[in-house]
Amino acid sequence: RSFASQTDGESRLVRVLQEKFPRASAIKVVDISGGCGAMYEIHIESEEFREKRTVQQHQMVNQALSEEIKHMHGLRIFTSAPK
């Protein structure tokens, strides 16, 4: 899907994540609720995750999105450090 067709919710989450993870080499946010903003899938590749366990990486993302998460039903998070 092209960047131009991102939903408002996707764009907002990408902006928040770019602020919280300035060293991220890749950020992808997909609304998997059919566009209503209830559930998102997030993929982040960032140097900030190096040497951290998966659960710690996910906690960092949850903390970064703490305000936004209050309005969601679900969130799938995939994190990694650049190879």
Side-chain angles (χ1 to χ4, degrees):
R1 192 153 57 141
S2 74
F3 184 73
S5 66
Q6 271 193 322
T7 66
D8 290 343
E10 289 168 345
S11 305
R12 189 178 66 248
L13 293 180
V14 168
R15 278 196 306 275
V16 171
L17 292 168
Q18 284 170 335
E19 276 176 35
K20 305 283 185 179
F21 300 100
R23 295 164 65 196
S25 47
I27 296 177
K28 182 178 156 204
V29 176
V30 181
D31 185 335
I32 53 175
S33 62
C36 72
M39 190 157 178
Y40 291 92
E41 186 171 291
I42 295 174
H43 297 261
I44 304 177
E45 182 181 273
S46 180
E47 201 53 55
E48 282 105 329
F49 297 140
R50 196 168 302 288
E51 308 291 322
K52 292 195 168 46
R53 295 192 324 271
T54 303
V55 68
Q56 292 171 309
Q57 296 173 11
H58 289 198
Q59 285 169 338
M60 290 167 70
V61 174
N62 280 318
Q63 198 171 359
L65 296 175
S66 59
E67 278 306 305
E68 290 75 14
I69 286 173
K70 292 175 186 173
H71 309 288
M72 294 180 199
H73 294 293
L75 184 60
R76 277 197 227 149
I77 302 171
F78 299 91
T79 54
S80 61
K83 302 243 175 319

